[in-house]
Structure formats: C-alpha cells, structure tokens
Amino acid sequence: MRLFVTGLPGVGKTTLVLKVAEEMQGIGLKIGGFTTQEVRKKGRRVGFKIKAIDTKEEGILAWVGEGYPRVGKYVVNLEDLNRVGVSAIRRAISEADLIIIDEIGAMEYKSREFAKIINEVLKKEKPLLATVHRRYTERFRGMGKLYVLTTENREKIKDEVIKELKALFSFKD
C-alpha cells in the first residue's frame, strides 16, 4: 500500500503524517522515515528542519541564504538530508512496518542518494505514507493512492488514512 498526500503549503501535510505516525505507534507498529518542519523567525519562514522518526535525530534541510544547491530562496543542506533523511529511510526499509517520507519534492531531489532511496522504496512491498510537493504528484500517479489535502478535508483524510492502514495491518477500531 502506498499513500501519497499533496496540497498547498501550510495545509497540514506534516501534521497529518505526525498524527498518523502517532496512531500507528499506538497500536504497536514500528514507524520509520522522516518528517520536515518549517523554521520561522519573527513570523517568517527561514528554513526547514528534518527529523528522523525512529531516532529523533535532527538536521537542517534548507535555509534562506547564499549557497548551492538552491531551490528558490533556499539552500539545500545535502549533508543533513543524507545523514538524517536518507539514513532514516534506509533503516525504515529494513526495520519498520510503515515508511513515512515527509516530503518528496525539489529540495529532496537535489540529493542523488535521496533519489536512489526513493526508487528503492518504490520497489519494495512495504507500506508507504509520503507527502509529495504538488509539482511532483505526476511522478507518483498510478503508484498508489493520491490524496489532495485542503483545510476542509484534512480531518476526513487523516481518518481515512488511519482506517486504511489499520485495515492493512488487521487492526479494528
């Protein structure tokens, strides 16, 4: 089972995967992968953190500034992306019941290691929940179920994703 979630920035994609991860851990499943979160200063987004779900290890995914590689105004930190994110996915492939990847987009694809590990994940039969940048949804169409998150449907979609995963793992509400 592969579930992909997309939507506009700030709609709740990361919140959804965090709530799903918490719910799945609550029924005894081992969750692996990573999440990303905005870093704000004085109300403005200045970057993104990346955090491994299993080890809680953190790094900086991207920040506003000078450097390379770039995506818009952000400089992507390939070292932390590979050290935290790619490593977390690698562990999830071998150890987790469910892989969570938050997010798949232009920043992450600046890393060759990330692109390779995504291809590896997609070859496996292991359940996947991934958030996908809206410009990348076409790459994953037909590879699983795609949800488009809005502020109006986010609770309903969260409940549906949890229900689908519980059914997959044979848990009843």
Side-chain angles (χ1 to χ4, degrees), residues 133-148:
H133 188 283
R134 62 194 183 282
R135 292 193 187 112
Y136 281 73
T137 55
E138 282 307 309
R139 286 187 186 203
F140 300 96
R141 197 170 298 283
M143 293 185 186
K145 193 167 193 177
L146 176 66
Y147 293 97
V148 179

Side-chain angles (χ1 to χ4, degrees), residues 68-88:
Y68 183 82
R70 304 186 66 75
V71 173
K73 65 182 178 180
Y74 299 101
V75 178
V76 180
N77 182 347
L78 294 177
E79 186 178 316
D80 282 5
L81 172 57
N82 292 333
R83 179 180 56 82
V84 178
V86 173
S87 296

Side-chain angles (χ1 to χ4, degrees), residues 16-168:
L16 181 143
V17 297
L18 288 169
K19 287 179 177 177
V20 170
E22 187 179 319
E23 182 86 17
M24 296 299 106
Q25 286 168 326
I27 60 172
L29 296 180
K30 186 165 179 165
I31 311 302
F34 70 85
T35 59
T36 58
Q37 285 192 299
E38 290 183 352
V39 176
R40 290 186 168 269
K41 284 197 179 147
K42 296 180 183 168
R44 295 182 54 171
R45 187 167 69 192
V46 295
F48 298 90
K49 282 192 302 190
I50 186 168
K51 184 175 183 178
I53 293 170
D54 58 347
T55 64
K56 310 292 186 234
E57 181 181 19
E58 287 189 15
I60 299 296
L61 172 61
W63 68 92
V64 173
E66 298 300 315
Y68 183 82
R70 304 186 66 75
V71 173
K73 65 182 178 180
Y74 299 101
V75 178
V76 180
N77 182 347
L78 294 177
E79 186 178 316
D80 282 5
L81 172 57
N82 292 333
R83 179 180 56 82
V84 178
V86 173
S87 296
I89 296 169
R90 195 166 283 126
R91 285 190 307 276
I93 288 171
S94 62
E95 301 169 11
D97 299 309
L98 172 65
I99 301 170
I100 291 181
I101 302 172
D102 172 42
E103 137 172 300
I104 301 173
M107 288 183 189
E108 294 79 10
Y109 270 114
K110 291 294 181 184
S111 162
R112 278 197 205 109
E113 292 301 309
F114 181 84
K116 275 194 243 173
I117 202 79
I118 291 299
N119 287 337
E120 218 176 294
V121 166
L122 294 172
K123 289 177 188 166
K124 303 288 181 191
E125 292 298 312
K126 192 157 284 200
L128 169 68
L129 172 60
T131 63
V132 180
H133 188 283
R134 62 194 183 282
R135 292 193 187 112
Y136 281 73
T137 55
E138 282 307 309
R139 286 187 186 203
F140 300 96
R141 197 170 298 283
M143 293 185 186
K145 193 167 193 177
L146 176 66
Y147 293 97
V148 179
L149 208 61
T150 65
T151 51
E152 295 77 29
N153 72 9
R154 62 187 175 198
E155 282 303 310
K156 181 176 166 258
I157 287 178
K158 174 192 59 99
D159 293 343
E160 193 174 316
V161 167
I162 289 170
K163 186 178 175 184
E164 282 196 55
L165 288 169
K166 280 184 172 180
L168 176 70

